[in-house]
Amino acid sequence: MQRRYHVTTFGCQMNEHDSERMKGMLESLGYREAAERADADLILFNTCSIREKADERFITHLNQAKGLKAKDPDRIIGVGGCWAQSVKDHVFQQFPFVDVAFGPGQVHRLAEFLTSDSLTAQGYFEFEGFTGHLPMKRARDFQAWMQISVGCNCACSYCIVPSTRGREVSRPFGELVAEARRLAGEGVREVTLLGQNVNSYGRDLRPRAQFSELLRELDTIDGLDRIRYTSPHPKDMREDVILAHAELGSLCPHIHLPLQAGSSRVLKAMRRTYTRERYMDRVALIREHLPDVALTTDIIVGFPGETEAEFRETLEVVEEVGYDGAFTFNFSPRRGTTAALLEDDVTNEEKVERMQRLIEVVQRRAAERAQRFVGRTLDVLVEGTSRHDADRLRGRIGHNKTVNFDGIAEPGSIVPVHITAATSQSLRGEMSLLALASR
Ligand code: SAH
Ligand code: SF4
Ligand code: F3S
């Protein structure tokens, strides 16, 4: 009988990418995907450890898998990703029912484990290869992730990623261009380039390559209508990348520029290597060349030692920049990071209260910014039906805003939509009549 697998993915887009590669690899071994965890012979978790909550959520799921294995001991339980990498072999002491564990650079070893006769639990934790080399099973035919680099050479004091993903390594330029061509040939219209610090791509290559060169090369590929990337680091957001946005037709008008904090004192303690002023200079340069671009960000609330006045500086920056959206996180001490050694002295109540104030400003400014789309007709890549109303379609504009709209179109098509209303979260619209008539 055909063996079946089930993968649960936690964490960032890189993990979603890695899970698609795990699935592709398993299918090439003859496994098929099970809709429910309970139906799977191989239960996999692709884990994240970025914040404490991520750990807690995963442990709940893992215990459910333990119950399934108790009923059927032949099931295999595997744990991959950043949490696995951060605890390494301890996973087997803590959770003896786990059969195989592997870090983000060791996904290919899962195949080795599954095809060997070994009955003993195995752990694989040295970085050995890009998951981008493995076969992939995409969630959607017309969208694809591309892993352009792995790892991070920064040392942000709160962040566990450098220890789970290792030093930064870029994939060769030619290999990426060939992969993008292949994807376009398969009908992919939108690619999202992934890296922990995507715009420092290519510095480790010989000959060196530049992120903006990669963007320029990918832009020439027929059929690739949209290029996105995440996450860039503000320190590496140079003019060549900003100009690429102005010049390249397929590069989407969206830049995710993680702020983390508005106070230069806090940024220094976070080891972000830029000040509030330098960050605002970047924003000014972006707005000078790209007045309409969507800017989004990540912000941490309650970093150790953050005072009320320092927090207010974050509010000021959010007010001034006017982001189109922001991911906001309460500081969470992570094992092995230097910030975890500092006293976590902003109380929970303060964090909650600051978070509320932050979200209020983020949403108000995002709603204001979103009004600029109302009355315009914008290209929407159709992704499916609206989540709230099955009679409507859902898709995204280049600025990465979700649009729910009336119309008739297939997923994967790009259609003009007249925007009629906007909130901080999403847009409403109608497919343009001309486009409907020409169908
Ligand atoms: N490489 C990316 C982001 C990685 S993690 C970058 O540098 O932009 C995504 C976000 O999680 C970070 O931008 C940060 O805002 C948040 N984050 C990371 N570690 C955290 C921690 N210990 N506590 C709270 N938020 C954290
Ligand atoms: Fe973490 Fe900083 Fe690297 Fe981003 S740049 S992954 S926040 S260490
Ligand atoms: Fe999480 Fe690792 Fe991504 S810790 S956010 S899965 S890089």
Side-chain angles (χ1 to χ4, degrees), residues 43-91:
I43 299 175
L44 282 178
F45 296 96
N46 194 11
T47 60
C48 171
S49 225
I50 198 81
R51 287 168 291 276
E52 216 169 330
K53 278 215 182 88
D55 284 8
E56 289 164 5
R57 273 184 58 214
F58 157 62
I59 301 296
T60 311
H61 282 261
L62 186 60
N63 281 324
Q64 202 230 346
K66 178 186 179 184
L68 291 171
K69 184 158 173 143
K71 276 191 232 147
D72 180 0
D74 285 342
R75 279 185 222 262
I76 294 176
I77 299 184
V79 180
C82 288
W83 178 87
Q85 183 70 37
S86 75
V87 300
K88 297 199 177 148
D89 288 314
H90 294 297
V91 59

Coordinates of all heavy atoms in Angstrom, one line a residue, residues 43-91:
I43 N 4.4 11.4 9.9 CA 3.9 12.7 10.4 C 5.1 13.6 10.6 O 6.0 13.3 11.4 CB 3.2 12.5 11.8 CG1 2.0 11.6 11.6 CG2 2.8 13.9 12.3 CD1 1.3 11.2 12.9
L44 N 5.1 14.7 9.9 CA 6.2 15.6 9.9 C 5.8 17.0 10.4 O 4.7 17.4 10.2 CB 6.8 15.8 8.5 CG 7.7 14.7 7.9 CD1 8.1 15.1 6.5 CD2 8.9 14.5 8.7
F45 N 6.8 17.6 11.1 CA 6.6 19.0 11.5 C 7.8 19.8 11.1 O 8.9 19.4 11.2 CB 6.5 19.0 13.1 CG 5.4 18.3 13.6 CD1 5.5 17.0 14.1 CD2 4.1 19.0 13.7 CE1 4.4 16.3 14.6 CE2 3.0 18.3 14.2 CZ 3.1 17.0 14.6
N46 N 7.5 20.9 10.4 CA 8.6 21.8 10.0 C 8.4 23.0 11.0 O 7.5 23.8 10.9 CB 8.4 22.2 8.6 CG 9.7 22.9 8.1 OD1 10.7 22.9 8.7 ND2 9.6 23.5 6.9
T47 N 9.4 23.1 11.9 CA 9.2 23.9 13.1 C 9.9 25.3 13.0 O 10.8 25.5 12.2 CB 9.8 23.2 14.3 OG1 11.2 23.0 14.1 CG2 9.0 21.9 14.6
C48 N 9.4 26.2 13.9 CA 9.9 27.5 14.0 C 10.2 27.8 15.5 O 9.5 27.3 16.4 CB 8.9 28.5 13.5 SG 9.2 30.2 13.9
S49 N 11.2 28.7 15.8 CA 11.5 28.9 17.2 C 11.6 30.4 17.4 O 12.2 30.8 18.4 CB 12.8 28.2 17.6 OG 12.6 27.6 18.8
I50 N 11.0 31.2 16.6 CA 11.3 32.7 16.6 C 10.8 33.3 17.9 O 11.5 34.2 18.4 CB 10.8 33.3 15.3 CG1 11.4 34.7 15.1 CG2 9.3 33.5 15.3 CD1 12.7 34.6 14.4
R51 N 9.7 32.9 18.4 CA 9.2 33.4 19.6 C 8.7 32.2 20.5 O 8.4 31.2 19.9 CB 8.0 34.4 19.4 CG 8.5 35.7 18.8 CD 7.4 36.6 18.3 NE 6.8 36.0 17.1 CZ 7.3 36.2 15.9 NH1 8.3 37.0 15.7 NH2 6.7 35.7 14.9
E52 N 8.5 32.5 21.8 CA 8.1 31.4 22.7 C 6.8 30.8 22.2 O 6.6 29.6 22.3 CB 7.9 32.1 24.1 CG 8.3 31.2 25.2 CD 8.3 32.0 26.5 OE1 8.6 33.2 26.4 OE2 8.1 31.4 27.5
K53 N 5.9 31.7 21.8 CA 4.5 31.2 21.4 C 4.6 30.1 20.3 O 3.9 29.2 20.2 CB 3.7 32.3 20.8 CG 3.0 33.1 21.9 CD 1.6 33.6 21.4 CE 0.9 34.4 22.5 NZ 1.3 35.9 22.4
A54 N 5.6 30.3 19.4 CA 5.8 29.4 18.3 C 6.2 28.0 18.8 O 5.6 27.0 18.4 CB 6.9 29.9 17.3
D55 N 7.0 28.0 19.8 CA 7.4 26.7 20.5 C 6.2 26.1 21.1 O 6.0 24.9 21.0 CB 8.4 27.0 21.6 CG 9.8 27.3 21.1 OD1 10.0 27.4 19.9 OD2 10.7 27.4 21.9
E56 N 5.4 26.9 21.8 CA 4.3 26.3 22.6 C 3.3 25.7 21.6 O 2.8 24.6 21.9 CB 3.6 27.4 23.4 CG 4.5 27.8 24.6 CD 4.0 29.2 25.2 OE1 2.9 29.7 24.7 OE2 4.7 29.7 26.1
R57 N 3.0 26.4 20.5 CA 2.0 25.8 19.6 C 2.5 24.5 19.0 O 1.7 23.6 18.9 CB 1.8 26.8 18.4 CG 0.8 27.9 18.6 CD 0.6 28.8 17.4 NE 0.3 28.0 16.2 CZ 0.6 28.3 15.0 NH1 1.5 29.4 14.8 NH2 0.3 27.6 14.0
F58 N 3.7 24.5 18.7 CA 4.3 23.2 18.1 C 4.2 22.1 19.1 O 3.8 21.0 18.7 CB 5.7 23.5 17.7 CG 6.5 22.2 17.5 CD1 6.2 21.2 16.6 CD2 7.6 22.1 18.4 CE1 6.9 20.1 16.6 CE2 8.4 20.9 18.3 CZ 8.0 19.9 17.4
I59 N 4.5 22.3 20.4 CA 4.6 21.2 21.4 C 3.1 20.6 21.5 O 3.0 19.4 21.6 CB 5.1 21.7 22.7 CG1 6.5 22.3 22.6 CG2 5.0 20.6 23.8 CD1 7.6 21.3 22.2
T60 N 2.1 21.5 21.4 CA 0.7 21.0 21.5 C 0.5 20.0 20.3 O -0.1 18.9 20.5 CB -0.3 22.1 21.4 OG1 0.1 23.1 22.3 CG2 -1.7 21.7 21.7
H61 N 0.9 20.4 19.1 CA 0.7 19.5 18.0 C 1.5 18.2 18.1 O 1.1 17.1 17.8 CB 1.2 20.2 16.7 CG 0.2 21.2 16.2 ND1 -0.7 20.9 15.2 CD2 -0.1 22.5 16.6 CE1 -1.4 22.0 14.9 NE2 -1.1 23.0 15.8
L62 N 2.7 18.4 18.6 CA 3.6 17.2 18.7 C 3.0 16.2 19.7 O 3.0 15.0 19.5 CB 5.0 17.6 19.2 CG 6.1 16.5 19.3 CD1 6.3 15.9 17.9 CD2 7.4 17.1 19.8
N63 N 2.4 16.7 20.8 CA 1.8 15.7 21.7 C 0.6 15.0 21.1 O 0.3 13.9 21.4 CB 1.4 16.5 23.0 CG 2.6 16.6 23.9 OD1 3.5 15.7 23.9 ND2 2.7 17.8 24.6
Q64 N -0.1 15.7 20.2 CA -1.2 15.0 19.5 C -0.7 13.9 18.6 O -1.2 12.8 18.6 CB -2.0 16.0 18.6 CG -3.4 15.6 18.3 CD -3.7 15.7 16.8 OE1 -2.9 16.3 16.1 NE2 -4.8 15.1 16.4
A65 N 0.5 14.1 18.0 CA 1.1 13.1 17.2 C 1.5 11.9 18.1 O 1.5 10.8 17.7 CB 2.3 13.7 16.4
K66 N 2.0 12.2 19.3 CA 2.4 11.2 20.2 C 1.2 10.2 20.5 O 1.4 9.0 20.5 CB 2.8 11.8 21.5 CG 3.2 10.9 22.6 CD 3.5 11.6 23.9 CE 3.9 10.6 25.0 NZ 4.1 11.3 26.3
G67 N 0.0 10.8 20.6 CA -1.2 10.0 20.9 C -1.5 9.1 19.7 O -1.8 7.9 19.8
L68 N -1.3 9.6 18.5 CA -1.5 8.8 17.2 C -0.5 7.7 17.2 O -0.9 6.6 16.8 CB -1.4 9.7 16.0 CG -2.6 10.8 15.8 CD1 -2.2 11.7 14.7 CD2 -3.9 10.0 15.5
K69 N 0.7 8.0 17.5 CA 1.7 6.9 17.5 C 1.5 5.9 18.5 O 1.8 4.7 18.3 CB 3.1 7.6 17.6 CG 4.2 6.5 17.5 CD 5.5 7.1 17.1 CE 6.6 6.0 17.2 NZ 7.6 6.1 16.2
A70 N 0.9 6.3 19.6 CA 0.6 5.3 20.7 C -0.4 4.3 20.2 O -0.3 3.1 20.5 CB 0.1 6.0 21.9
K71 N -1.3 4.7 19.4 CA -2.3 3.8 18.8 C -1.7 2.9 17.7 O -2.2 1.8 17.5 CB -3.5 4.6 18.2 CG -4.5 5.1 19.2 CD -5.7 5.7 18.6 CE -6.0 7.0 19.1 NZ -6.6 8.0 18.2
D72 N -0.8 3.5 17.0 CA -0.2 2.8 15.8 C 1.3 3.0 15.8 O 1.8 4.0 15.2 CB -0.9 3.4 14.6 CG -0.4 2.7 13.3 OD1 0.5 1.8 13.4 OD2 -0.8 3.1 12.2
P73 N 2.0 2.2 16.5 CA 3.5 2.4 16.7 C 4.3 2.4 15.4 O 5.5 2.8 15.5 CB 3.9 1.3 17.7 CG 2.6 0.7 18.2 CD 1.6 1.0 17.2
D74 N 3.8 1.9 14.3 CA 4.5 1.9 13.1 C 4.7 3.3 12.4 O 5.5 3.4 11.5 CB 3.9 0.9 12.1 CG 4.2 -0.5 12.4 OD1 5.1 -0.7 13.3 OD2 3.4 -1.4 12.0
R75 N 3.9 4.2 12.9 CA 4.0 5.5 12.3 C 5.3 6.1 12.6 O 5.9 5.9 13.7 CB 3.0 6.5 13.0 CG 1.6 6.4 12.5 CD 0.8 7.4 13.2 NE -0.5 7.0 13.6 CZ -1.6 7.2 12.9 NH1 -1.5 7.9 11.8 NH2 -2.7 6.8 13.3
I76 N 5.8 6.9 11.7 CA 7.1 7.6 11.9 C 6.8 9.1 12.2 O 6.0 9.7 11.5 CB 8.0 7.5 10.7 CG1 8.4 6.0 10.5 CG2 9.2 8.4 10.8 CD1 9.2 5.7 9.2
I77 N 7.5 9.6 13.2 CA 7.3 11.0 13.5 C 8.6 11.8 13.3 O 9.7 11.3 13.8 CB 6.8 11.3 15.0 CG1 5.5 10.6 15.2 CG2 6.8 12.8 15.3 CD1 4.8 10.8 16.5
G78 N 8.6 12.8 12.4 CA 9.8 13.5 12.1 C 9.6 15.0 12.4 O 8.6 15.6 12.3
V79 N 10.7 15.6 12.9 CA 10.7 17.0 13.3 C 11.9 17.7 12.6 O 13.0 17.4 12.8 CB 10.8 17.2 14.8 CG1 10.8 18.6 15.2 CG2 9.7 16.4 15.5
G80 N 11.5 18.7 11.7 CA 12.6 19.4 11.0 C 12.5 20.9 11.3 O 11.6 21.3 12.1
G81 N 13.4 21.7 10.8 CA 13.3 23.1 10.9 C 14.0 23.7 12.1 O 14.9 23.1 12.7
C82 N 13.7 25.0 12.4 CA 14.5 25.8 13.3 C 14.5 25.3 14.8 O 15.5 25.4 15.5 CB 14.2 27.2 13.2 SG 14.7 28.0 11.6
W83 N 13.3 24.9 15.2 CA 13.2 24.4 16.6 C 14.1 23.2 16.7 O 14.9 23.0 17.7 CB 11.8 24.1 17.0 CG 11.6 23.5 18.4 CD1 11.5 24.2 19.5 CD2 11.6 22.2 18.7 NE1 11.4 23.4 20.6 CE2 11.5 22.1 20.1 CE3 11.7 21.0 18.0 CZ2 11.4 20.9 20.8 CZ3 11.7 19.8 18.7 CH2 11.5 19.7 20.1
A84 N 14.0 22.3 15.8 CA 14.8 21.0 15.8 C 16.3 21.4 15.8 O 17.0 20.8 16.6 CB 14.4 20.2 14.6
Q85 N 16.6 22.3 15.0 CA 18.1 22.7 14.9 C 18.5 23.3 16.3 O 19.6 23.1 16.7 CB 18.3 23.7 13.8 CG 19.7 24.2 13.6 CD 20.6 23.1 13.1 OE1 20.1 22.3 12.2 NE2 21.8 23.0 13.5
S86 N 17.6 24.0 16.9 CA 18.0 24.7 18.2 C 18.1 23.8 19.4 O 18.8 24.0 20.3 CB 17.1 25.9 18.5 OG 15.9 25.4 19.0
V87 N 17.4 22.6 19.3 CA 17.5 21.7 20.5 C 18.4 20.5 20.1 O 18.8 19.8 21.0 CB 16.1 21.2 21.0 CG1 15.3 22.4 21.4 CG2 15.4 20.4 19.9
K88 N 18.6 20.3 18.8 CA 19.4 19.1 18.3 C 19.0 17.8 19.0 O 17.8 17.6 19.1 CB 20.9 19.5 18.5 CG 21.3 20.7 17.7 CD 22.8 20.7 17.5 CE 23.1 21.9 16.6 NZ 24.4 22.5 16.8
D89 N 20.0 17.0 19.4 CA 19.7 15.7 19.8 C 18.9 15.6 21.1 O 18.3 14.6 21.5 CB 21.0 14.9 20.0 CG 21.6 14.5 18.7 OD1 20.8 14.0 17.8 OD2 22.8 14.7 18.5
H90 N 18.8 16.8 21.8 CA 17.9 16.8 23.0 C 16.5 16.4 22.7 O 15.8 16.0 23.6 CB 18.0 18.2 23.7 CG 19.3 18.5 24.2 ND1 19.9 17.8 25.2 CD2 20.2 19.5 23.9 CE1 21.1 18.3 25.5 NE2 21.3 19.3 24.7
V91 N 16.1 16.6 21.5 CA 14.7 16.3 21.1 C 14.4 14.9 21.5 O 13.3 14.5 22.0 CB 14.5 16.6 19.6 CG1 15.3 15.8 18.7 CG2 13.0 16.3 19.3

